Amino acid sequence: MNVDDFNALSAERAGALLRPCVAIPAWAAQLVAGRPYASRTELLAAARQASQGWQEAELMLALSAHPRIGERAAGQHAEAAFSRREQAGVPPDADTAAALRAGNLAYEQRFGRVFLVRAKGRSAEEMLAILQRRLVNSPVQEQQESLEQLRQITLLRLEELITP
Ligand SMILES: NC(=O)NC1=NC(=O)NC1=O
C-alpha cells in the first residue's frame, strides 16, 4: 500500500493497518488523524515525531506484543508475523540459544520487563552481546535504550507497510 492508498482508507481501516506496528493505540490514532500525508517521507517523519513522547507507560503497553528474543512468536496475527520475520536471522546455535534464554531471564529479573531489541538485520550473537552490555545499564539508561529500540522496530514495520 502506498501513502495515497493509506490516505484514502477509512479511519477505522487505517487504524487497523497501523496496529501491528506497535501496541500503543494513541500513536496509531495520532497518525490516522494527521492524514492526508503529502508523501511517504512525511508520514514516516510524523510517525517518528509521534513516538518521541513515549515513556515507561508506552513501553509496558508495547511489550505485551513483543515475544522474547529467541522465542518464536505464535499465532497468525500480524504482530506475530512481523516478529517471526524480524527474528528470522540465522537460528542460534545451542549455546547461543541457551545464553539468550539465561540473559532474557536475568534481564527480566533485573528490570522487571522483557528485553527489547530491534532484531531485524541482527544475528542472535549480536543480540546476545547487546543484551549482555545492556544488563549492566542503570534503570533510567535502560528505559531510554528500550524506548529507542521500540521506535526502531515500530518505524521499520511502518516502512514495510507503506511502500514507496
Ligand atoms: N523482545 C524483542 O525484542 N522482540 C522483538 N524484537 C523485534 O525486532 N521484533 C520482536 O518481536
Side-chain angles (χ1 to χ4, degrees):
M1 167 175 309
N2 66 28
V3 67
D4 297 332
D5 300 331
F6 178 69
N7 285 331
L9 288 177
S10 69
E12 170 72 21
R13 285 177 54 83
L17 180 82
L18 294 180
R19 199 164 302 127
C21 293
V22 69
I24 301 174
W27 178 81
Q30 189 175 330
L31 282 185
V32 171
R35 297 179 305 163
Y37 295 98
S39 66
R40 179 175 184 264
T41 304
E42 189 186 306
L43 168 56
L44 295 178
R48 178 174 293 282
Q49 182 59 37
S51 72
Q52 291 309 324
W54 290 349
Q55 290 302 326
E56 180 73 17
E58 287 77 16
L59 183 58
M60 299 318 282
L61 264 180
L63 284 176
S64 61
H66 284 277
R68 288 186 183 83
I69 288 299
E71 286 187 6
R72 182 173 169 71
Q76 291 313 314
H77 51 284
E79 292 88 341
F82 268 125
S83 287
R84 282 194 292 272
R85 281 204 305 276
E86 287 149 356
Q87 297 199 43
V90 175
D93 59 59
D95 292 348
T96 305
L100 271 173
R101 277 193 301 277
N104 276 320
L105 190 61
Y107 183 97
E108 289 167 36
Q109 286 170 341
R110 173 158 162 69
F111 294 106
R113 60 171 186 267
V114 166
F115 168 67
L116 188 71
V117 62
R118 184 260 299 159
K120 189 170 185 177
R122 284 175 162 149
S123 68
E125 291 74 12
E126 283 170 306
M127 290 189 286
L128 178 59
I130 291 168
L131 172 50
Q132 288 167 338
R133 171 180 65 77
R134 286 174 46 188
L135 257 176
V136 298
N137 272 348
S138 73
V140 170
Q141 272 174 309
E142 189 44 33
Q143 183 187 83
Q144 293 313 307
E145 284 220 43
S146 299
L147 283 164
E148 176 52 29
Q149 296 302 297
L150 182 63
R151 279 190 282 271
Q152 288 183 25
I153 295 166
T154 302
L155 285 162
L156 284 168
R157 291 183 177 185
L158 183 60
E159 285 172 12
E160 267 190 58
L161 279 179
I162 309 295
T163 52

